[in-house]
Amino acid sequence: MPSSGHRLRDVEHHPLLTGDDSYDSAASSPAEADAADRVWFIRDGCGMICAVLTWLLVVYADFVVTFVMLLPSKDFWYSVVNGVVFNCLAVLALSSHLRTMLTDPGAVPKGNATKEYMESLQLKPGEVIYKCPKCCCVKPERAHHCSICKRCIRKMDHHCPWVNNCVGEKNQKFFVLFTMYIALASVHALVLCGLQFIACVRGQWTECSDFSPPVTVILLIFLCLEGLLFFTFTAVMFGTQIHSICNDETEIERLKSEKPTWERRLRWEGMKSVFGGPPSLLWMNPFVGFRFRRLQTRPRKGAPEFSV
Ligand SMILES: [Zn+2]
Ligand SMILES: [Zn+2]
């Protein structure tokens, strides 16, 4: 429930606040277009550590799979096929991670609750809109303020430190892909670990790896633990996200048991709206819509503090 501080006037179904396209066209001033062209990055210490840790764990898994299990294998095609599959999954997972982290999740422009903007909405008498007291923006329906991003985020699901960003309207697809590819890579690594243990126990430990037997065992046990942990976490998250998308309900809305005031897009309609268009292989592609953006080391005067 919004506090009295949020309440201005109601424009829940106002075209400038409900539709994505209409909003963008309304906020297409040169300054905002310039801001949209910059890379989105949240400067949060905890989030940056978690994001780097995620990358290091994937690199560790790739190292063990490639150098401990596959390269010493005598079966050439077993090594090639599994090497290609695991590395493809790792690259897709890390690309999805980068896209989730560096994509604006649907931030509402800061401080747009100006007199001119209110007038441009052409509100009818008695209509109510919500203003965020923290970032002084007109809060669209289903937007929530994130204290880490310091912004109101459209269809905010949750803030995930592992991707150092909010999961919202514009980056949910990449987050779902990230959890899916990590879960698949974890299963693959666990299967390879199991086969490696069997091969080592049946044969000679000194011959099944280029590393000494104690080092090999430690590396494999760490990979198994990492695989189990990652698989459990990402599989649960993937299931929760798909459930949310099919019910057109964010995690925040579910926790708050908010009654939907919006028209729900259920199942395939929900999936289409998040993944973009009818079902196709493009849904699995984390590179869709990628374009190079300017990277600025320092935000210019007046630019949002989260941009680099
Ligand atoms: Zn806010
Ligand atoms: Zn956030």
Side-chain angles (χ1 to χ4, degrees):
M1 283 295 289
S3 67
S4 58
H6 294 75
R7 187 171 277 267
L8 286 180
R9 284 189 274 167
D10 184 12
V11 285
E12 279 185 347
H13 301 291
H14 196 283
L16 284 179
L17 294 176
T18 49
D20 207 18
D21 297 335
S22 55
Y23 184 85
D24 283 344
S25 61
S28 58
S29 68
E32 281 167 2
D34 190 47
D37 210 32
R38 283 197 295 272
V39 173
W40 172 275
F41 183 72
I42 302 298
R43 293 179 182 177
D44 170 48
C46 171
M48 286 192 274
I49 290 169
C50 288
V52 170
L53 197 63
T54 307
W55 274 68
L56 289 178
L57 286 168
V58 173
V59 169
Y60 169 77
D62 206 10
F63 167 78
V64 177
V65 167
T66 308
F67 292 97
V68 179
M69 293 196 274
L70 297 181
L71 283 183
S73 170
K74 293 184 180 75
D75 188 337
F76 175 75
W77 287 111
Y78 172 82
S79 301
V80 170
V81 171
N82 282 298
V84 168
V85 170
F86 188 83
N87 279 282
C88 282
L89 288 174
V91 167
L92 287 166
L94 292 180
S95 307
S96 305
H97 183 272
L98 269 186
R99 293 293 313 265
T100 315
M101 184 166 65
L102 302 178
T103 301
D104 176 349
V108 181
K110 247 180 186 174
N112 72 350
T114 57
K115 201 176 165 210
E116 296 79 46
Y117 183 64
M118 301 292 208
E119 282 168 1
S120 75
L121 295 177
Q122 297 180 330
L123 300 165
K124 294 189 187 88
E127 281 186 309
V128 177
I129 58 171
Y130 299 105
K131 178 187 170 184
C132 173
K134 291 166 188 155
C135 59
C136 288
C137 69
V138 175
K139 211 172 182 178
E141 187 181 31
R142 304 186 75 184
H144 290 276
H145 185 87
C146 172
S147 55
I148 298 168
C149 298
K150 297 185 178 72
R151 296 287 291 267
C152 279
I153 308 291
R154 290 166 175 274
K155 272 181 79 179
M156 176 181 167
D157 191 84
H158 67 290
H159 184 97
C160 176
W162 296 103
V163 295
N164 187 33
N165 200 3
C166 262
V167 176
E169 186 175 78
K170 290 183 180 171
N171 67 348
Q172 190 173 24
K173 170 190 171 171
F174 303 125
F175 182 72
V176 174
L177 289 182
F178 168 64
T179 56
M180 184 183 81
Y181 287 126
I182 289 288
L184 290 175
S186 301
V187 170
H188 192 199
L190 286 170
V191 170
L192 290 176
C193 267
L195 292 174
Q196 186 74 10
F197 269 117
I198 292 169
C200 291
V201 168
R202 281 185 180 167
Q204 290 291 323
W205 273 94
T206 46
E207 288 175 13
C208 76
S209 164
D210 291 341
F211 295 84
S212 67
V215 174
T216 305
V217 170
I218 291 169
L219 289 173
L220 289 179
I221 287 176
F222 266 112
L223 183 63
C224 282
L225 291 175
E226 184 196 337
L228 280 173
L229 201 73
F230 261 46
F231 174 73
T232 310
F233 181 72
T234 52
V236 169
M237 197 44 112
F238 177 76
T240 315
Q241 287 288 308
I242 295 294
H243 182 260
S244 296
I245 293 168
C246 290
N247 282 307
D248 197 9
E249 185 180 57
T250 65
E251 188 63 15
I252 293 177
E253 287 157 358
R254 192 182 65 78
L255 291 173
K256 286 186 170 180
S257 306
E258 286 184 11
K259 284 201 176 120
T261 54
W262 58 93
E263 195 182 332
R264 275 187 159 174
R265 283 181 282 198
L266 298 176
R267 295 190 179 88
W268 280 114
E269 288 309 309
M271 294 287 281
K272 280 184 207 168
S273 73
V274 170
F275 286 89
S280 73
L281 275 179
L282 289 176
W283 279 19
M284 305 293 152
N285 185 355
F287 303 101
V288 163
F290 177 77
R291 63 192 173 97
F292 283 102
R293 293 181 174 191
R294 279 184 297 128
L295 193 68
Q296 294 183 347
T297 49
R298 281 172 183 276
R300 291 177 312 167
K301 201 177 176 185
E305 62 201 36
F306 50 84
S307 297
V308 294

